[in-house]
Amino acid sequence: KAVVKVLLSNLHNSTPKLVWQCGACYKAVVKGAIYHCTSCDNYDLCNDCFKPVTSGEWSNKGPSYQHDTNHTFVQDDGGKLKNLGENQHLIDLHCKNLEHAALCNGSCSNSFCPKVKKLIQHLRSCEKNPKEACPICSRAMGIIKIHSRKCTIQGSCSVPCCDGLRDILWKRRKRQDAMDERRWRAQKELYESSMSQTS
């Protein structure tokens, strides 16, 4: 029941939340500037981490804080892409990385895979309920919701929560179809009744 409540809570908003995550501290960037590495496909930094990471000052804090100091970054104010086409491309890329990480055994060359695996691990272990209360879980669920709406896998999907989300979406569509059917029948009966009275 708790899992169903979490899934229903995450489905409550029709528009999934998709926020940026800093590649160093892993925090969700919900406000302020974000910096995109022009040399890496999936490495972004929040405003707090940008200078100390790019200068090498925080390299001793761990692998996620170590980045090539020769790489250049572009600033994106407010963490919002101005190009909607580029935004859709990145959403698709997030979904692709999620699907890869859910199946990967760990021996791959995808640099983003370990980060997504950590995101999945956090989602499974986080005790906050609903998941939207946790900014990291909220970001993960945003990507998973987008994936679940497009998922065509027959049977069980390796992406966490996808099966439950698909089941809830299927039941919601069935309820909507039933409501539409009842509405159509009521309108039909009303029309036939009015026609019989006029004849």
PDB file of all heavy atoms in Angstrom, residues 48 113 157 162 164 180 192 194:
ATOM      1  N   ASP A  48      27.520  26.711  -6.600  1.00  0.00           N
ATOM      2  CA  ASP A  48      28.433  26.556  -5.465  1.00  0.00           C
ATOM      3  C   ASP A  48      29.673  25.746  -5.814  1.00  0.00           C
ATOM      4  O   ASP A  48      30.766  26.007  -5.295  1.00  0.00           O
ATOM      5  CB  ASP A  48      27.704  25.878  -4.296  1.00  0.00           C
ATOM      6  CG  ASP A  48      26.623  26.760  -3.698  1.00  0.00           C
ATOM      7  OD1 ASP A  48      26.710  27.991  -3.870  1.00  0.00           O
ATOM      8  OD2 ASP A  48      25.684  26.218  -3.079  1.00  0.00           O
ATOM      9  N   CYS A 113      26.788   6.374 -16.255  1.00  0.00           N
ATOM     10  CA  CYS A 113      26.174   5.188 -15.660  1.00  0.00           C
ATOM     11  C   CYS A 113      26.324   5.131 -14.139  1.00  0.00           C
ATOM     12  O   CYS A 113      25.330   4.887 -13.432  1.00  0.00           O
ATOM     13  CB  CYS A 113      26.741   3.927 -16.301  1.00  0.00           C
ATOM     14  SG  CYS A 113      25.972   2.392 -15.736  1.00  0.00           S
ATOM     15  N   CYS A 157       9.669  -4.521 -16.243  1.00  0.00           N
ATOM     16  CA  CYS A 157      10.695  -3.584 -16.722  1.00  0.00           C
ATOM     17  C   CYS A 157      11.775  -3.460 -15.650  1.00  0.00           C
ATOM     18  O   CYS A 157      11.485  -3.455 -14.448  1.00  0.00           O
ATOM     19  CB  CYS A 157      10.072  -2.226 -17.015  1.00  0.00           C
ATOM     20  SG  CYS A 157      11.267  -0.964 -17.541  1.00  0.00           S
ATOM     21  N   CYS A 162       8.725   1.473 -12.651  1.00  0.00           N
ATOM     22  CA  CYS A 162       8.084   1.556 -13.962  1.00  0.00           C
ATOM     23  C   CYS A 162       6.849   0.662 -14.032  1.00  0.00           C
ATOM     24  O   CYS A 162       5.796   1.080 -14.523  1.00  0.00           O
ATOM     25  CB  CYS A 162       9.067   1.181 -15.074  1.00  0.00           C
ATOM     26  SG  CYS A 162       8.334   1.235 -16.742  1.00  0.00           S
ATOM     27  N   GLY A 164       4.857  -0.418 -11.659  1.00  0.00           N
ATOM     28  CA  GLY A 164       3.775   0.147 -10.858  1.00  0.00           C
ATOM     29  C   GLY A 164       3.155   1.363 -11.501  1.00  0.00           C
ATOM     30  O   GLY A 164       1.934   1.531 -11.501  1.00  0.00           O
ATOM     31  N   ASP A 180     -16.064   7.900 -20.237  1.00  0.00           N
ATOM     32  CA  ASP A 180     -16.419   8.387 -21.570  1.00  0.00           C
ATOM     33  C   ASP A 180     -17.573   7.572 -22.156  1.00  0.00           C
ATOM     34  O   ASP A 180     -18.468   8.119 -22.806  1.00  0.00           O
ATOM     35  CB  ASP A 180     -15.210   8.322 -22.504  1.00  0.00           C
ATOM     36  CG  ASP A 180     -14.120   9.310 -22.115  1.00  0.00           C
ATOM     37  OD1 ASP A 180     -14.428  10.253 -21.368  1.00  0.00           O
ATOM     38  OD2 ASP A 180     -12.975   9.123 -22.560  1.00  0.00           O
ATOM     39  N   GLU A 192     -32.150  10.427 -27.964  1.00  0.00           N
ATOM     40  CA  GLU A 192     -33.249   9.558 -28.420  1.00  0.00           C
ATOM     41  C   GLU A 192     -34.556   9.910 -27.738  1.00  0.00           C
ATOM     42  O   GLU A 192     -35.639   9.862 -28.339  1.00  0.00           O
ATOM     43  CB  GLU A 192     -32.896   8.089 -28.161  1.00  0.00           C
ATOM     44  CG  GLU A 192     -31.765   7.574 -29.055  1.00  0.00           C
ATOM     45  CD  GLU A 192     -31.356   6.164 -28.711  1.00  0.00           C
ATOM     46  OE1 GLU A 192     -31.791   5.676 -27.623  1.00  0.00           O
ATOM     47  OE2 GLU A 192     -30.608   5.534 -29.493  1.00  0.00           O
ATOM     48  N   SER A 194     -35.416  12.945 -26.582  1.00  0.00           N
ATOM     49  CA  SER A 194     -35.895  14.205 -27.142  1.00  0.00           C
ATOM     50  C   SER A 194     -36.484  14.024 -28.525  1.00  0.00           C
ATOM     51  O   SER A 194     -37.478  14.669 -28.892  1.00  0.00           O
ATOM     52  CB  SER A 194     -34.766  15.227 -27.175  1.00  0.00           C
ATOM     53  OG  SER A 194     -33.729  14.796 -28.029  1.00  0.00           O
TER      54      SER A 194
END
